[in-house]
Amino acid sequence: MPDTSLPQRILGAVSHAARARPRSAMAVGALGVATSGIFIGLSGAAPATATFFRCALALPLLWPSARGERRREGALSRRQAAVAVTAGALFAADALLWTQAIYEVGAGLTAVLVNAQVVIVPLLALLIDREPIRGAFLVVSPILVAGILLTGGVFETGASGSAPVQGTIHAVLAALCYSGFLYLLRHSGHSGQVVQSYRLALLSAAAVGALWPGVTFTPGWAALGWLTLTAVCGQIGGWLLIALATAQLSSTVSAAMLMLTPIGALVLAAVVLDERPTALQLFGCALILLGTYGAATSGSGQRRITAVVRKRWSAARSADS
């Protein structure tokens, strides 16, 4: 007898819509993820506590849909389960480092720094899948490195955040784990058993958070409320949609659309948390976003960007002379 529970019907409709309109689902998912840093910052929870609750609270919402998917498409194989568990462990490491960075460099800037995944994922594809690196990757890599250093406030005093240099280090390490998670998430999506894989990944991440030093299982009602919003908006409205959509899109389009996450996080952090990055940090953000777009866009898109830059540069030189 088919499962007609409300969560099952809702997630079934979401799954169908995400596969039918993957670009729209990717955009909504990226913006959903952008709220995570804001809610975690408002919760004040320790990294391990935030990691545990954001994953654990999302599991009951996923369970009916995962059960229905298992009946329709079968259970995960051992290999698929191993990939999902590994992805969950990487997500937990990413969340732990990223949450720490939020308190050190700010929610908005941390989201931008973690976007260095656009450089790391192609390297993983080269090393594991033997996928050749595009020329754009070599061009934008120095731009991204410069942007990361500027965003982290390495060259200035009074930069946004309580410990901008340490926060940058933690955010870059989080980007390494984040890249591995994205790589495995995309591979899991091709199996068709997305919800089961994602549920197992969250279960693995919650277990890591529960075992990590500093976790508290009684964070208080206010913190629990913000972490519940993180689970609903970030894990269900964000990462589940991305997991469903990413297999339907090329890695280029997926990476480009994930740029909505740092942009949304910067805007939300300024409005909600009153974060005010310095001019150099904002310039670093612009370099990262420009570099990630250059790495993710197609060759024709790059040629259009180059043409616009050359036109503006020529106009500026003409005005000076």
Side-chain angles (χ1 to χ4, degrees):
M1 188 173 180
D3 187 347
T4 57
S5 66
L6 182 60
Q8 168 67 17
R9 292 199 301 271
I10 292 175
L11 286 179
V14 168
S15 177
H16 176 76
R19 290 185 172 96
R21 296 182 177 274
R23 289 174 183 264
S24 298
M26 196 77 179
V28 173
L31 292 174
V33 172
T35 65
S36 297
I38 310 303
F39 293 147
I40 289 173
L42 290 170
S43 76
T49 304
T51 300
F52 170 74
F53 278 103
R54 69 184 292 187
C55 297
L57 292 172
L59 286 171
L61 300 175
L62 283 175
W63 218 271
S65 185
R67 187 174 57 192
E69 183 185 83
R70 176 170 179 164
R71 283 202 299 266
R72 292 191 309 271
E73 303 179 21
L76 296 173
S77 67
R78 288 185 179 181
R79 182 181 180 280
Q80 289 171 325
V83 169
V85 169
T86 304
L90 287 171
F91 180 79
D94 163 41
L96 288 164
L97 291 162
W98 178 68
T99 304
Q100 182 63 37
I102 288 173
Y103 300 125
E104 294 170 335
V105 76
L109 296 182
T110 300
V112 176
L113 287 166
V114 172
N115 209 46
Q117 56 85 15
V118 176
V119 172
I120 301 168
V121 170
L123 289 175
L124 289 175
L126 172 67
L127 295 173
I128 300 172
D129 297 332
R130 303 299 179 187
E131 181 179 321
I133 290 180
R134 296 164 51 200
F137 174 84
L138 300 176
V139 173
V140 304
S141 291
I143 297 174
L144 284 165
V145 171
I148 289 169
L149 294 174
L150 289 173
T151 302
V154 173
F155 302 118
E156 58 183 326
T157 58
S160 176
S162 61
V165 175
Q166 292 93 320
T168 299
I169 293 171
H170 287 139
V172 171
L173 290 174
L176 290 169
C177 299
Y178 179 53
S179 301
F181 167 69
L182 287 176
Y183 177 83
L184 294 178
L185 187 70
R186 179 172 172 78
H187 275 251
S188 296
H190 290 299
S191 69
Q193 295 155 307
V194 178
V195 182
Q196 290 183 78
S197 295
Y198 183 58
R199 179 188 63 175
L200 190 54
L202 285 187
L203 189 61
S204 172
V208 173
L211 296 172
W212 201 260
V215 66
T216 175
F217 298 105
T218 55
W221 290 111
L224 193 60
W226 291 118
L227 294 173
T228 300
L229 284 174
T230 306
V232 173
C233 298
Q235 302 307 132
I236 302 298
W239 282 115
L240 178 60
L241 282 175
I242 291 171
L244 291 166
T246 189
Q248 313 297 320
L249 300 169
S250 69
S251 57
T252 296
V253 173
S254 297
M257 298 196 74
L258 277 175
M259 287 171 58
L260 289 171
T261 296
I263 294 171
L266 272 176
V267 174
L268 287 172
V271 173
V272 178
L273 301 179
D274 197 32
E275 292 182 0
R276 294 291 182 265
T278 65
L280 276 179
Q281 286 179 306
L282 288 174
F283 181 61
C285 291
L287 288 180
I288 292 176
L289 296 177
L290 177 65
T292 52
Y293 183 80
T297 195
S298 63
S300 59
Q302 293 163 13
R303 286 191 291 273
R304 286 196 297 271
I305 294 173
T306 303
V308 170
V309 171
R310 286 177 177 173
K311 183 178 179 180
R312 296 291 175 86
W313 176 251
S314 299
R317 291 185 65 183
S318 299
D320 291 339
S321 59

